Amino acid sequence: YYTYASVYNQASNDTWGLNCDAADYLKASDNTVANFAGDFTIFTRHYSRTDDPFLVWKAVGSSQAGYALQRQSGTPDRYALYSFPHSEADTLYLGDGLLSAGKAYDVTMTFDASEQLLSGYIHDWEGNLVVYSNKTVSHTGHSNSDALLLGSSQGGTPDRGGIELVALWDRVLSSNEVSLLSTLPVDQGPAEYVYEFNTAAPTNNTG
C-alpha cells in the first residue's frame, strides 16, 4: 500500500516540481489521508532555495499528535524529522554538516511503532546514501484530524523551492527498499499533478 502526489511545471520559471515561492502548496481533500496510528514511511524528492521549508506536515499543532518533515537552512543545513507532540527529544536532526546549500536530495522518514523508532535517510540524486540515523521517541501514534499538507505547515509560510514527489506508506520500508527509491529517475513528465491519495482532487494552491 502506498499513496503519492507528484506535481510538475507549476510555474513558468521552474523546470519540474511543485514550484513553491511562499504561496504554493497542496492540501489533501480528505483529513483521513495518511492518518497513521502505527508504522509509516514518508519519501520526498525535492530541492529548496531559501528559508526553512516544511515539505510534509500533518498535525493540528506541534503540541498534539502528528508528524512533519522540514529542511532547515543555516549553518549547517539539515533536515528535521518531527514526531509530535514536539520536543527536542522527539525530533531527529539529520545531515548536520553533510549537506550542500541549494542542492537537491531524497529524504526518507520511517517510524516503527512497536519500537517507537524514528529513522531517517538522505540520498543524493545519484542514489548514494549521504547519512542514516535513528532515535527512540516517547510515543507510538501520530493520528490526528488535520489535513495533510505538502509544501507548507498549518498556518506557516509555504516552501521556497520545488517538490517533485512525495510518497507515503503505512508500513516501514526496509533499507534496501529505501535505497531503490533513490535510484528512480528524475521525472519531468508533462502532467500538472498526479494525485492518488483518494478520488477527490487536492486543494491546489499554485496560482
Side-chain angles (χ1 to χ4, degrees):
Y1 164 84
Y2 78 99
T3 54
Y4 69 93
S6 184
V7 285
Y8 304 103
N9 300 323
Q10 294 288 359
S12 59
N13 66 342
D14 206 23
T15 57
W16 63 266
L18 171 61
N19 185 61
C20 301
D21 283 310
D24 302 340
Y25 62 88
L26 288 179
K27 180 179 180 180
S29 57
D30 181 350
N31 288 11
T32 65
V33 166
N35 194 33
F36 301 121
D39 295 352
F40 65 83
T41 298
I42 300 170
F43 170 79
T44 66
R45 170 166 285 175
H46 78 101
Y47 69 91
S48 296
R49 290 193 287 267
T50 59
D51 299 335
D52 295 322
F54 278 95
L55 306 171
V56 179
W57 174 279
K58 192 176 193 309
V60 178
S62 62
S63 63
Q64 301 181 44
Y67 57 84
L69 194 160
Q70 180 186 29
R71 171 73 180 262
Q72 295 185 336
S73 60
T75 308
D77 276 15
R78 65 183 182 183
Y79 289 89
L81 283 57
Y82 296 99
S83 174
F84 295 141
H86 172 64
S87 72
E88 286 299 302
D90 293 323
T91 301
L92 177 61
Y93 294 105
L94 200 63
D96 288 34
L98 299 174
L99 307 181
S100 300
K103 186 174 180 179
Y105 293 98
D106 290 348
V107 182
T108 307
M109 172 182 181
T110 70
F111 181 72
D112 183 326
S114 64
E115 301 290 335
Q116 296 178 222
L117 188 68
L118 180 65
S119 301
Y121 305 76
I122 300 176
H123 288 82
D124 64 24
W125 279 13
E126 288 72 47
N128 301 306
L129 179 65
V130 176
V131 65
Y132 165 79
S133 186
N134 63 59
K135 73 184 306 182
T136 301
V137 299
S138 62
H139 37 271
T140 61
H142 298 83
S143 178
N144 63 57
S145 60
D146 200 41
L148 174 70
L149 299 176
L150 307 181
S152 185
S153 61
Q154 186 185 54
T157 299
D159 182 17
R160 293 181 183 272
I163 301 172
E164 179 181 305
L165 177 66
V166 177
L168 302 100
W169 289 257
D170 61 356
R171 65 181 181 89
V172 177
L173 266 63
S174 68
S175 58
N176 286 339
E177 289 176 309
V178 172
S179 295
L180 285 173
L181 287 174
S182 289
T183 65
L184 295 172
V186 176
D187 198 340
Q188 297 189 24
E192 285 195 354
Y193 60 80
V194 178
Y195 186 78
E196 295 191 1
F197 291 122
N198 52 28
T199 57
T203 299
N204 185 19
N205 186 37
T206 59

